[in-house]
Amino acid sequence: MSDEVVIRVEKLGKRYRIRHQQQGGMRYKTLRDVLADGTKSVARRLWSMTSVLCHLHRSRAARNPFMNKSILITILVFLIPMVAFARADTFDIPNPSRQQIIPAVGTNDLVSTLGITIHPQDTDILDAATNAGLTWIRADLRWFWVETNTLGVYVWDWHDNLNALLQARGLKALWLLNNGNPLYGTGGSRPTNAFQVAGYGDFCQAAAAHFAGTGARYEIMNEPNIADFWYPSPNVTQYAAVAIEGIRRVHQGDSNALVTTGGMAGMDPGFIGQYLALGAGPGANGIGEHPYLLTPEDIFTQLPPLQSLISQYLTNVPVWNTECGYSTASYGGDELASARTRQAVMLARELLCCCAVGFPMSILYNLRDSTNGGENYGLVDTTNGYKPSMFAVKTLTSVARGRQYGGMIPTPTNCYALRFDGLGTSVLALWYAGLGSQDYTVSTNATVVDVLGTNISLSAVNGRLAGTLLETNGPVYIYFPFPPLLRATLSRGALSITWPSSATDFQLQCNIDLATTVWVDVTNSVSITGELNQVTISTTNGQAFYRLKSQ
């Protein structure tokens, strides 16, 4: 099939959070959290085909997760015969020298954008974040924690200790400047009047000045668009006043600091548009979002409208993803091996999608599972054991570290491929997010590992290696060695051309006139000397040009 395949990303439909009561506390989840693992792909396609289920999902009755599962499982019974044998044409992946590249958006250094959220009790497992290959730690720096007894007197002891632990591990802090302060009469709420907002601003400036020079970044409040974090109810006018003051005062404390508005609970362009219209954007280095999505690939359709909205108020201010993730609770519970594997697959796809859309910061939630309420979003379980999600993230960061993200290559529908170049190899992160399966082939010099970093043995078919992608088995990483270096040495009227003998799928070719495209195979015998292939050619034939062509 042709290499010139255009990427088409299907619109997968609306997603929003479902909130429900759990063990006495409010907790929100993505729609993905209420879909049974076996129905996820069908539900995603169904959402784009009908508005009826979307309407049902938004109704009060559909907020019951068990009702949603029952509805979707019933639908699945009728749809299985339609989709069971869905299969795309084989994707013959060309070698890197022949791949078309859709240029990267944003930074080429993925690892520098990745981080994870911790809670105060997680400081004992910071080594896990380092082992995962992450760069950023998002941690609470709550106003009432540091200004506790006297107005204007700040105690940074705990945060200084945390920052020292981060610095020792090569990690950097994204401080979440959060909450109110009883000293200012906020009670359990956030700043709502001029006195409280000014006090919050003093705190922001003091924090930025205190941590200046550490490379720290700052976020102005957490999810102010929901009552869980701006009670008794969200108020965009109040938040805009807080954001304006907080952003301004962070920069006064440290002119080099980067600061983002508070991450929204879900993709909420309405709330963002309102606070930007109230003047809360100028000075911000990022617009915060927490894109908990039905599937990671939804970001390709949901982010552009938000970026367009932001551009109406600000120039070249990107969206920062300051919280995202998937929980094993969505797939049956952390005690199930299948749920842990599914979480790993989804997190790897999510971080790759974050890379593809160019987020300058992508923060996972969270490092360790919570013992309160079964909130199992962690890379580490409650016994400090590494979950498959840890190895999935580590595999991805090992691919990206020391390599530059170059961009995406054209793929069949529902298939995605990101390329990373460096360290003597090109690595293609490849996954499939559709129904059925996607067959692929690669050259015989490629090696492939799965989402957890385990080598995959592919079948030899017609001189290539063949594999199959499923939506459930996540990204694979295909390692292509860089094209071998061709060397020429002239001695005693003969030209000696050498290249590594490990390059078994390359043919030496010759062209006597570069104004033409006529390259012919060199048929001289090839000898092996040490680790080099060698061809000796007489120089009596005049000018000639040589190249190695991938087979």
Side-chain angles (χ1 to χ4, degrees), residues 136 138 173-178 200 204 216-224 239 242-248 250-251 256-264 272 275-276 280-291 306 310 314 317-323 359-363:
W136 294 94
R138 180 175 180 255
L174 171 62
W175 295 118
L176 177 56
L177 303 174
N178 205 19
Y200 176 77
C204 291
R217 296 180 181 179
Y218 302 89
E219 183 176 358
I220 305 299
M221 296 290 181
N222 180 65
E223 300 186 348
Y239 177 69
V242 168
I244 290 170
E245 182 71 1
I247 292 166
R248 182 177 68 88
V250 165
H251 288 312
N256 294 318
L258 301 184
V259 57
T260 180
T261 58
M264 296 292 100
I272 291 174
Y275 76 64
L276 290 177
N285 303 103
I287 299 299
E289 262 293 0
H290 295 171
L306 177 59
I310 294 169
L314 305 169
V317 176
V319 175
W320 286 19
N321 174 8
T322 57
E323 189 180 305
F359 282 139
M361 177 167 278
S362 297
I363 306 295

Side-chain angles (χ1 to χ4, degrees), residues 471-533:
E471 189 273 341
T472 54
N473 65 10
V476 297
Y477 301 98
I478 305 172
Y479 288 74
F480 296 93
F482 278 165
L485 183 63
L486 193 64
R487 297 181 182 275
T489 304
L490 184 62
S491 177
R492 296 180 180 179
L495 182 68
S496 174
I497 299 177
T498 61
W499 67 96
S501 57
S502 59
T504 57
D505 60 344
F506 287 84
Q507 171 66 47
L508 183 65
Q509 293 187 326
C510 175
N511 186 342
I512 60 174
D513 184 0
L514 290 183
T516 73
T517 59
V518 180
W519 290 86
V520 297
D521 291 350
V522 174
T523 57
N524 299 49
S525 62
V526 179
S527 61
I528 298 178
T529 303
E531 296 182 354
L532 295 177
N533 289 331

Side-chain angles (χ1 to χ4, degrees), residues 140 142-144 176-182 184-198 200 203 220-235 238-240 242-243:
D140 277 312
R142 300 185 182 184
W143 184 13
F144 69 88
L176 177 56
L177 303 174
N178 205 19
N179 295 94
N181 194 318
Y184 292 80
T186 63
S189 186
R190 303 298 188 261
T192 58
N193 61 46
F195 172 65
Q196 295 167 355
V197 171
Y200 176 77
F203 154 67
I220 305 299
M221 296 290 181
N222 180 65
E223 300 186 348
N225 62 324
I226 60 173
D228 299 59
F229 297 104
W230 198 283
Y231 30 85
S233 62
N235 186 310
Q238 291 175 354
Y239 177 69
V242 168

Side-chain angles (χ1 to χ4, degrees), residues 96 101 402-406 419-427 482:
I101 289 288
R403 296 185 176 92
Q404 288 199 329
Y405 169 56
R419 198 173 100 182
F420 299 85
D421 295 318
L423 304 179
T425 55
S426 288
V427 184
F482 278 165

Side-chain angles (χ1 to χ4, degrees), residues 112-448:
S112 70
T113 70
L114 301 182
I116 200 159
T117 299
I118 67 166
H119 297 301
Q121 64 271 23
D122 295 335
T123 56
D124 62 317
I125 57 165
L126 287 175
D127 285 340
T130 305
N131 291 339
L134 302 173
T135 298
W136 294 94
I137 295 293
R138 180 175 180 255
D140 277 312
L141 204 171
R142 300 185 182 184
W143 184 13
F144 69 88
W145 281 356
V146 297
E147 191 179 2
T148 56
N149 298 314
T150 305
L151 295 182
V153 176
Y154 306 98
V155 179
W156 308 102
D157 293 355
W158 187 87
H159 294 87
D160 283 341
N161 179 62
L162 173 57
N163 192 63
L165 294 174
L166 299 182
Q167 298 282 309
R169 291 164 174 78
L171 299 167
K172 294 184 284 188
L174 171 62
W175 295 118
L176 177 56
L177 303 174
N178 205 19
N179 295 94
N181 194 318
L183 293 179
Y184 292 80
T186 63
S189 186
R190 303 298 188 261
T192 58
N193 61 46
F195 172 65
Q196 295 167 355
V197 171
Y200 176 77
D202 292 341
F203 154 67
C204 291
Q205 181 172 338
H210 185 79
F211 291 106
T214 65
R217 296 180 181 179
Y218 302 89
E219 183 176 358
I220 305 299
M221 296 290 181
N222 180 65
E223 300 186 348
N225 62 324
I226 60 173
D228 299 59
F229 297 104
W230 198 283
Y231 30 85
S233 62
N235 186 310
V236 70
T237 302
Q238 291 175 354
Y239 177 69
V242 168
I244 290 170
E245 182 71 1
I247 292 166
R248 182 177 68 88
R249 300 294 292 277
V250 165
H251 288 312
Q252 286 187 1
D254 179 5
S255 60
N256 294 318
L258 301 184
V259 57
T260 180
T261 58
M264 296 292 100
M267 302 293 284
D268 193 346
F271 195 91
I272 291 174
Q274 290 179 64
Y275 76 64
L276 290 177
L278 291 170
N285 303 103
I287 299 299
E289 262 293 0
H290 295 171
Y292 287 94
L293 300 173
L294 171 66
T295 69
E297 296 75 26
D298 284 1
I299 197 64
F300 291 114
T301 55
Q302 295 202 26
L303 182 62
L306 177 59
Q307 292 171 320
S308 178
L309 170 68
I310 294 169
S311 69
Q312 297 176 30
Y313 299 94
L314 305 169
T315 302
N316 296 326
V317 176
V319 175
W320 286 19
N321 174 8
T322 57
E323 189 180 305
C324 62
Y326 289 89
S327 170
T328 54
S330 307
Y331 314 114
D334 208 57
E335 67 279 3
L336 297 179
S338 60
R340 289 184 168 212
T341 300
R342 182 61 181 166
Q343 181 199 29
V345 166
M346 297 300 278
L347 289 186
R349 282 166 53 182
E350 182 165 45
L351 293 182
L352 286 166
C353 288
C354 290
C355 175
V357 299
F359 282 139
M361 177 167 278
S362 297
I363 306 295
L364 290 175
Y365 183 86
N366 57 330
L367 185 55
R368 180 162 55 191
D369 286 344
S370 172
T371 57
N372 180 22
E375 193 181 68
N376 297 323
Y377 285 80
L379 306 185
V380 178
D381 64 26
T382 56
T383 66
N384 295 339
Y386 285 2
K387 296 163 63 175
S389 55
M390 164 64 82
F391 297 104
V393 173
K394 185 174 182 178
T395 299
L396 172 55
T397 57
S398 69
V399 166
R401 188 175 301 279
R403 296 185 176 92
Q404 288 199 329
Y405 169 56
M408 303 179 76
I409 72 167
T411 57
T413 300
N414 293 323
C415 196
Y416 304 85
L418 277 64
R419 198 173 100 182
F420 299 85
D421 295 318
L423 304 179
T425 55
S426 288
V427 184
L428 204 64
L430 177 71
W431 75 99
Y432 181 63
L435 299 172
S437 61
Q438 173 67 62
D439 292 335
Y440 67 95
T441 69
V442 294
S443 58
T444 56
N445 68 334
T447 56
V448 185

